[in-house]
Amino acid sequence: MRKFRYLKQVVTLTLDAEHCIGCGCCLDVCPHAVFQIYEGRAAIVDIDACMECGACARNCPVSVISVDAGVGCASGLLVEWWREKFPGKQQGCC
């Protein structure tokens, strides 16, 4: 199965990199490799891969990550599944 993507340019994920301590927890818990560590701090490297599950924000020990976790991940995955399963057909929802 190909890599699922979230809806482009709608993700609510933010990172206050200035206050990041570079612990790497966000890398460890993110299922889609949205983050990398650069120069001792986390950086968002693929924001459209974020499915807004909230694991990064819940596990950040200094609370520098914010995301509105909710139905975004389910909606994005369903839309992508529909496109893959039924190419060229209009979506029945969303």
Side-chain angles (χ1 to χ4, degrees):
M1 180 172 15
R2 66 184 236 269
K3 183 178 178 183
F4 282 111
R5 305 292 293 171
Y6 190 65
L7 306 172
K8 290 186 183 249
Q9 301 176 358
V10 298
V11 177
T12 60
L13 177 67
T14 62
L15 166 68
D16 178 3
E18 183 179 330
H19 294 101
C20 173
I21 61 172
C23 68
C25 285
C26 53
L27 278 72
D28 292 340
V29 299
C30 179
H32 290 268
V34 171
F35 301 93
Q36 288 294 323
I37 298 291
Y38 289 114
E39 298 179 1
R41 296 182 178 172
I44 298 172
V45 294
D46 192 2
I47 196 163
D48 288 331
C50 177
M51 63 181 195
E52 297 183 319
C53 67
C56 56
R58 283 192 305 275
N59 287 281
C60 179
V62 290
S63 301
V64 297
I65 300 172
S66 174
V67 64
D68 292 333
V71 298
C73 58
S75 175
L77 289 174
L78 287 172
V79 167
E80 196 63 30
W81 172 82
W82 184 272
R83 288 182 189 148
E84 189 174 276
K85 186 82 170 167
F86 306 103
K89 291 192 178 181
Q90 184 68 24
Q91 296 166 8
C93 65
C94 305

